[in-house]
Amino acid sequence: MIDEPVFVRPDLIIEPLVDRFYAWLHTVAPVQAAMNLAYAQVPLLESYLQSPQVHINASRNPELRGGFFVNIDPSRVAEVRDLLTAIKRDRAPMLDFAAAISDGEDLVRQSATGFAMTPLYPKLPAALSGLVEMAYDTNNQPSIRYMEPLVYESPVYTEDRQCVQLSLDTGVERPFILSTPRLPGPDVLELPIPFRHPGLEELCRARLEPTTLGRLREALELDDAQAAQLPRLLTDKPDLAGDRHIGDGGRIRYFGHACLVLQTPEGAVITDPWVSSDAAATGRYTYRDLPDFIDLVLITHGHQDHIVLETLLQLRGRVGTVVVPRSSRGSLADPSLALYLSRLGLPVTEVDDFSEVPFPGGTVIAAPFLGEHADLDIRAKSTYIAKFAGKTVYIGADSSGIEPGLYRYMRRQAGAVDMAFLGMECAGAPLTWLYGALLTAPVTKKMSDSRTLSGSNAAQASAILTELGAAEAYVYAMGEEDWLVGHVMATSYNEDSYQLKQVEEFMTWCSEHGVKADHLYGQHEWKW
């Protein structure tokens, strides 16, 4: 059977891990990964080991959903203790680098008082030597710039942190990715290979093209025990939807959250790809519905629910380029998306505001993205305007209408919009929920709570529609699709939730102003 043709099962999950924690931008990009390891993940494991049952009880409390509690049965305490010991031993350069960042930032705050910074360089921690530059802005505010490409080449970045776990989607919600590491299990095939490993591309291409057990074993460098687990992840025929391509006109399909697939007969674009792997489910599009080749992958920003590595890894070998917004180059809160994804084996194109990227049958224009980042100076965020098949579509992600005048200029630049897709998670998590490990100076709870990861409310969304001149408006599901986002966003709503009330208010406004509108959930299709 080793030479018989096989395909990947449609419900295959590939979970990317770093030191057993779920991999996302801030746990892989080396500067941010060091800070998260030292000031979030290590303290989290230490807290769990002190009181495992407290963590378990909190994990099961719906009111604490999304909190930082380790959801691992106390019977596995020894494994968690071994993980913590290994991290402290093997990641000492990362932990030292994180301490150096904290000390360096404190040095700049205390000693850079408007005078020349040259005397401060010898005082910087040794771990930062050659990897940073200090500077003032025109308001005389000092900061440190981290030379990311060099940090990737330093001991702080090591691919032996990386591994992947292969499993099948059972429909059961996975543990919250920001708090619970993934331990080995009998239903998981664990591969200690980096995310850029060519064997993963061979594996994922088998959704479309046949391979063999022998080829996969060689490509993934499996030993006998690993190879024995592989057949259950494979099948003898592909599961591909017959209508995954179109023959004329244009089409948009909604895959959930902020994921859209835009198609012409010649080409395809996907936004913030995040695809359900539960092939047995109904009422949603899954991997079987994706076109065979995707010309452009549009990434709007670096949050874990918009640049989903487990989906991006499954697209390796079948995308033309991943389009990402350019970062500010070296800011502690703003890692480069291009460096991150290119290191993971993906082809990348960086864009600035109003850069244009063509694809067969259309073109995409990058546009500014306001808000949603807790007022941090983060530049690696972009909305997009897609023009194809005679329509203009605004892809707004979580951008906010806090300054409506921006969208007036966007309309002048790119023309009126036919359809607008908007995010209205307008009561998002506070600053410290996602960025706490990167904050080297304390902030009060009141300050953190005032700075949230929020998209548009009803008034702001209405202002966007007015300025863009859009005839149709569609609000993304806001973490409501539990099969997709429960383990990533850990959101929960009820009929009285402020966010849903704001969506209702916006839907009413659209109805009163002759705008066709809907609040999306599950699969939707628009074809013309």
Side-chain angles (χ1 to χ4, degrees), residues 18 24-41 94-95 97-98 101 105 144-149 151-152 156-157 161 302 327-337 339-340 377-378 434-439:
V18 281
W24 70 286
L25 177 63
H26 285 187
T27 63
V28 177
V31 175
Q32 295 71 26
M35 296 295 282
N36 270 277
L37 189 66
Y39 301 118
Q41 293 167 338
M94 292 183 69
L95 299 174
F97 190 69
I101 289 173
E105 296 275 348
I144 294 179
R145 180 174 70 89
Y146 299 87
M147 300 182 187
E148 271 193 279
V151 184
Y152 271 98
V156 178
Y157 182 78
R161 299 184 68 217
S327 73
S328 56
R329 290 289 186 267
S331 164
L332 184 56
D334 194 18
S336 167
L337 303 184
L339 282 173
Y340 167 61
D377 184 14
I378 292 176
L434 199 61
Y435 292 100
L438 304 183
L439 302 178

Side-chain angles (χ1 to χ4, degrees), residues 179-213:
S179 64
T180 300
R182 275 45 174 158
L183 300 180
D187 298 324
V188 171
L189 171 54
E190 186 163 307
L191 305 179
I193 57 178
F195 305 145
R196 62 174 177 82
H197 195 285
L200 289 176
E201 187 169 324
E202 173 77 19
L203 177 71
C204 295
R205 193 165 53 239
R207 284 190 180 275
L208 304 173
E209 304 169 4
T211 185
T212 66
L213 277 169

Side-chain angles (χ1 to χ4, degrees), residues 18 28 41 71 74 85 115 150 172 220 251 352 360 377 391 393 399 406 414 432 464 478 509 523:
V18 281
V28 177
Q41 293 167 338
N71 189 11
T85 299
F115 294 92
L150 298 183
V172 176
L220 294 170
R251 183 172 74 181
D352 288 309
D377 184 14
K391 285 191 181 293
V393 179
S399 183
L406 167 66
T432 53
I464 293 174
M478 304 175 300
W509 181 92
Q523 72 181 51

Side-chain angles (χ1 to χ4, degrees), residues 36-356:
N36 270 277
L37 189 66
Y39 301 118
Q41 293 167 338
V42 165
L44 184 66
L45 296 178
E46 290 174 336
S47 172
Y48 169 82
L49 289 173
Q50 289 176 359
S51 304
Q53 196 59 52
V54 170
H55 279 254
I56 291 297
N57 293 342
S59 298
R60 294 171 180 170
N61 185 344
E63 294 184 2
L64 298 177
R65 186 173 169 84
F68 286 80
F69 306 104
V70 177
N71 189 11
I72 293 177
D73 190 272
S75 64
R76 307 190 74 175
V77 162
E79 294 175 75
V80 176
R81 184 176 293 109
D82 289 345
L83 171 60
L84 180 59
T85 299
I87 288 174
K88 289 182 174 181
R89 180 189 66 237
D90 300 336
R91 308 303 169 222
M94 292 183 69
L95 299 174
D96 290 344
F97 190 69
I101 289 173
S102 294
D103 291 344
E105 296 275 348
D106 187 60
L107 172 70
V108 168
R109 272 194 302 273
Q110 300 298 324
S111 303
T113 57
F115 294 92
M117 288 186 175
T118 300
L120 298 182
Y121 279 89
K123 300 179 180 180
L124 284 170
L128 300 184
S129 177
L131 298 176
V132 301
E133 180 183 24
M134 294 178 284
Y136 294 108
D137 66 16
T138 53
N139 290 316
N140 213 28
Q141 298 298 309
S143 65
I144 294 179
R145 180 174 70 89
Y146 299 87
M147 300 182 187
E148 271 193 279
L150 298 183
V151 184
Y152 271 98
E153 300 299 331
S154 77
V156 178
Y157 182 78
T158 172
E159 288 185 336
D160 66 4
R161 299 184 68 217
Q162 301 176 10
C163 74
V164 296
Q165 287 189 345
L166 308 183
S167 61
L168 298 176
D169 194 327
T170 62
V172 176
E173 184 176 306
R174 291 177 263 168
F176 184 40
I177 65 166
L178 297 184
S179 64
T180 300
R182 275 45 174 158
L183 300 180
D187 298 324
V188 171
L189 171 54
E190 186 163 307
L191 305 179
I193 57 178
F195 305 145
R196 62 174 177 82
H197 195 285
L200 289 176
E201 187 169 324
E202 173 77 19
L203 177 71
C204 295
R205 193 165 53 239
R207 284 190 180 275
L208 304 173
E209 304 169 4
T211 185
T212 66
L213 277 169
R215 278 168 51 191
L216 283 176
R217 175 171 182 168
E218 181 179 359
L220 294 170
E221 304 178 64
L222 305 182
D223 59 27
D224 289 345
Q226 292 169 326
Q229 296 184 67
L230 189 58
R232 66 185 180 83
L233 305 176
L234 305 173
T235 182
D236 60 357
K237 57 181 180 297
D239 182 19
L240 300 171
D243 62 350
R244 64 191 186 279
H245 303 120
I246 62 171
D248 55 60
R251 183 172 74 181
I252 300 174
R253 281 181 162 179
Y254 180 62
F255 276 65
H257 202 54
C259 182
L260 301 167
V261 172
L262 288 56
Q263 290 178 273
T264 69
E266 304 86 11
V269 174
I270 189 170
T271 71
D272 290 342
W274 194 2
V275 181
S276 171
S277 53
D278 188 351
T282 59
R284 73 188 80 157
Y285 292 119
T286 67
Y287 283 104
R288 66 189 302 274
D289 300 291
L290 289 174
D292 293 353
F293 184 79
I294 298 169
D295 298 273
L296 301 180
V297 176
L298 306 181
I299 300 297
T300 60
H301 60 296
H303 289 163
Q304 76 280 6
D305 56 322
H306 289 264
I307 183 167
V308 181
L309 188 53
E310 71 173 75
T311 295
L312 287 171
L313 289 179
Q314 299 240 23
L315 298 181
R316 278 185 53 190
R318 58 190 289 189
V319 301
T321 190
V322 183
V323 178
V324 300
R326 190 182 303 276
S327 73
S328 56
R329 290 289 186 267
S331 164
L332 184 56
D334 194 18
S336 167
L337 303 184
L339 282 173
Y340 167 61
L341 293 181
S342 61
R343 286 280 177 157
L344 305 183
L346 290 158
V348 180
T349 297
E350 268 189 324
V351 292
D352 288 309
D353 291 341
F354 297 106
S355 298
E356 190 165 346

